[in-house]
Amino acid sequence: AQSVTQLGSHVSVSEGALVLLRCNYSSSVPPYLFWYVQYPNQGLQLLLKYTTGATLVKGINGFEAEFKKSETSFHLTKPSAHMSDAAEYFCAVSEGDTGRRALTFGSGTRLQVQP
Amino acid sequence: ETGVTQSPTHLIKTRGQQVTLRCSSQSGHNTVSWYQQALGQGPQFIFQYYREEENGRGNFPPRFSGLQFPNYSSELNVNALELDDSALYLCASSLQPSLYNSPLHFGNGTRLTVT
């Protein structure tokens, strides 16, 4: 069965600093990988996804992530944090168990951005 | 383009009661999925509906049931409510069942509290 581990339930950075949110997955087949962001009292918004092809994926709001099969990782980065990036971030995987129809989410990382 | 809308936004029910949550899919989307997000956790897949049929189910008991209508709107029904059913229920629509090229678009959720 697939699973997702997000290291660090809370991450705090200064405005302008590098953002690094960690995600490791387990999967018996090549996975589809996603990052979603959730602002308070809202649903989830897709930041970026990896299905096939280029392993470095660029998303919205300046975020990017790199699929590293050997490390089973899909870490999310942004070179320079902005106050508006403060939110909860979820990594998710979809693979063969569900016919690639459903997502298994990690438990989330809350990003704080200090002025 | 109208996004995914859910109603009601908040709901309080008593243990043992039944509840119906509603979702209107994004225009042009024929697939709807429901997720349960407990406080402090990532969302968990309940089930998916495609062309009015259940098309995949997560690890939830039969008292969780759903419907999809010809206009692709959807309902989630939960019978015999338990305290642990208290959560944010998220509806997500997509162009097709597979997540390969059809990402999920989430609504803002219904916050259910069971007392």
Side-chain angles (χ1 to χ4, degrees), chain B:
Chain B
E1 174 178 275
T2 306
V4 177
T5 57
Q6 293 186 242
S7 62
T9 54
H10 293 82
L11 201 52
I12 300 174
K13 290 285 190 178
T14 302
R15 189 172 48 183
Q17 285 187 317
Q18 177 266 343
V19 69
T20 298
L21 310 182
R22 295 180 173 82
C23 173
S24 179
S25 298
Q26 186 165 317
S27 177
H29 288 187
N30 61 16
T31 303
V32 66
S33 302
W34 286 89
Y35 286 78
Q36 180 196 65
Q37 185 178 17
L39 201 61
Q41 301 292 322
Q44 281 192 288
F45 174 65
I46 303 175
F47 43 55
Q48 180 191 82
Y49 276 79
Y50 172 61
R51 294 184 176 178
E52 303 177 54
E53 298 285 333
E54 188 177 290
N55 191 44
R57 189 179 184 92
N59 189 26
F60 279 82
R63 60 189 185 86
F64 286 78
S65 63
L67 283 173
Q68 187 185 29
F69 300 100
N71 67 354
Y72 303 131
S73 65
S74 175
E75 288 181 356
L76 164 66
N77 298 289
V78 187
N79 293 322
L81 283 167
E82 301 177 359
L83 296 178
D84 284 350
D85 296 333
S86 295
L88 181 68
Y89 288 85
L90 296 165
C91 170
S93 71
S94 53
L95 282 169
Q96 55 183 297
S98 170
L99 296 171
Y100 175 70
N101 240 350
S102 180
L104 298 177
H105 295 255
F106 283 86
N108 287 340
T110 293
R111 172 76 62 189
L112 173 65
T113 302
V114 182
T115 61

Side-chain angles (χ1 to χ4, degrees), chain A residues 9-115:
Chain A
S9 58
H10 290 82
V11 170
S12 182
V13 301
S14 299
E15 192 172 19
L18 170 73
V19 176
L20 170 61
L21 304 182
R22 299 178 185 275
C23 172
N24 288 88
Y25 68 90
S26 68
S27 172
S28 57
V29 298
Y32 297 164
L33 295 161
F34 304 78
W35 275 99
Y36 280 85
V37 61
Q38 186 175 35
Y39 297 98
N41 301 314
Q42 293 189 22
L44 286 80
Q45 180 184 9
L46 179 66
L47 280 176
L48 49 79
K49 64 173 183 172
Y50 168 80
T51 52
T52 59
T55 56
L56 181 62
V57 180
K58 294 185 186 300
I60 62 172
N61 302 339
F63 285 94
E64 62 181 38
E66 186 171 10
F67 169 54
K68 292 187 176 181
K69 184 179 177 181
S70 61
E71 298 178 8
T72 61
S73 70
F74 191 58
H75 302 332
L76 181 71
T77 61
K78 182 174 180 178
S80 177
H82 191 273
M83 296 296 289
S84 61
D85 294 327
E88 185 100 26
Y89 291 80
F90 292 94
C91 181
V93 62
S94 177
E95 55 121 16
D97 279 5
T98 59
R100 301 195 185 278
R101 301 185 197 112
L103 292 171
T104 298
F105 286 87
S107 55
T109 297
R110 184 167 298 279
L111 176 66
Q112 272 187 313
V113 182
Q114 308 288 350

